Amino acid sequence: MTHAVPDTQTSADFIVPPCHQAVEVLWQDDDLLLVNKPSGLLSVPGKHEANKDCLISRIQIDYPQARIVHRLDMDTSGVMVLALNAECHRALNRLFAERQTTKQYEAVVFGLLEQEQGDIDLPLICDWPNRPKQKVDHEHGKAASTHYQVLDYDQQNHCTRILLTPITGRSHQLRVHLAEIGHPILGCNFYAHDKAKAMAERLLLHARGLEFVHPVTGERVLGVSRCPF
């Protein structure tokens, strides 16, 4: 979902700059944690020995039994859920695999969108020569769908704040989809043109909401994180 540097664990050579922001625990019970990941922090350790600082390693200092369920790109901030036991881990993995979670992201994109809401349906595939980048491929790509809704227009700065609901969960889906329709996310070093890239110091993409059924209690769980930009 930013990047002057690779945000996935694909490079053994690049040293990720240190992230000095703390991970915030939003809510917890005996089975799971909801946390707020800062921008610039890996979700899991990178291959390079210097890239071991990450969300799961920090959380395991206080919760050694915690297990990763899903990831956010390094420069994307926002809500993540972690399992605190094996049974919950299996159940949460199943929820994500079966798309039984609802995710909402807030982003600021270049330009003024003509339609106040819409759907982007463009199949995606890994751009292997340039990995971890992804690209649209109508012949071999996997189906990918994103719903967007305009929250606010910034006429002066020629940008738009939007709410994004990914229907599928492909790697870099939101950034590729928005770049493809001519509205790249500000601060995105992978897919934005130079002007959009220079308009923000970080990727302006934040996972502000995550909703699912608690695998143990059966109650609806809603994790919410206020957008920091």
Side-chain angles (χ1 to χ4, degrees):
M1 265 165 191
T2 71
H3 313 44
V5 299
D7 62 347
T8 57
Q9 290 66 49
T10 57
S11 172
D13 302 319
F14 200 99
I15 298 177
V16 175
C19 175
H20 300 295
Q21 287 183 275
V23 176
E24 177 188 6
V25 175
L26 301 171
W27 182 83
Q28 69 180 94
D29 65 8
D30 292 337
D31 301 292
L32 57 84
L33 287 172
L34 291 173
V35 301
N36 187 34
K37 187 188 85 66
S39 174
L41 182 68
L42 293 167
S43 294
V44 298
K47 292 181 179 180
H48 195 288
E49 282 299 315
N51 294 340
K52 298 308 179 186
D53 180 37
C54 62
L55 180 132
I56 188 60
S57 65
R58 293 188 186 186
I59 288 295
Q60 286 178 339
I61 294 173
D62 295 317
Y63 304 89
Q65 74 278 32
R67 304 185 184 196
I68 202 82
V69 176
H70 63 119
R71 304 180 188 184
L72 290 178
D73 290 346
M74 185 185 76
D75 289 335
T76 302
S77 55
V79 181
M80 291 180 64
V81 60
L82 301 170
L84 292 179
N85 55 63
E87 181 181 357
C88 186
H89 187 245
R90 287 191 295 270
L92 287 172
N93 278 335
R94 185 166 57 251
L95 288 180
F96 276 84
E98 296 175 356
R99 300 178 188 170
Q100 294 183 31
T101 62
T102 300
K103 308 170 190 173
Q104 287 192 327
Y105 293 77
E106 192 165 329
V108 180
V109 302
F110 182 85
L112 305 175
L113 276 75
E114 292 184 7
Q115 296 183 329
E116 292 193 357
Q117 61 180 328
D119 295 289
I120 307 169
D121 295 293
L122 293 170
L124 302 177
I125 195 171
C126 181
D127 185 1
W128 284 104
N130 301 300
R131 60 185 181 275
K133 291 182 69 174
Q134 308 292 308
K135 65 179 180 179
V136 173
D137 188 320
H138 291 280
E139 184 175 357
H140 302 291
K142 294 182 179 180
S145 181
T146 302
H147 179 76
Y148 70 86
Q149 179 180 337
V150 171
L151 297 175
D152 186 44
Y153 290 106
D154 185 341
Q155 301 279 352
Q156 182 176 356
N157 294 305
H158 192 63
C159 58
T160 307
R161 183 175 294 268
I162 59 175
L163 180 66
L164 296 163
T165 304
I167 310 305
T168 53
R170 309 299 179 199
S171 180
H172 292 189
Q173 175 179 313
L174 302 179
R175 288 185 286 168
V176 178
H177 274 178
L178 289 161
E180 283 291 319
I181 67 168
H183 297 282
I185 299 176
L186 302 189
C188 179
N189 287 328
F190 276 175
Y191 305 101
H193 48 70
D194 289 343
K195 186 173 182 179
K197 192 185 308 181
M199 288 175 69
E201 295 183 354
R202 57 155 288 187
L203 177 74
L204 297 193
L205 179 63
H206 179 74
R208 78 175 203 178
L210 175 62
E211 186 174 6
F212 56 92
V213 174
H214 195 295
V216 177
T217 68
E219 297 178 346
R220 297 297 297 183
V221 176
L222 175 60
V224 177
S225 171
R226 185 176 180 179
C227 187
F229 51 80

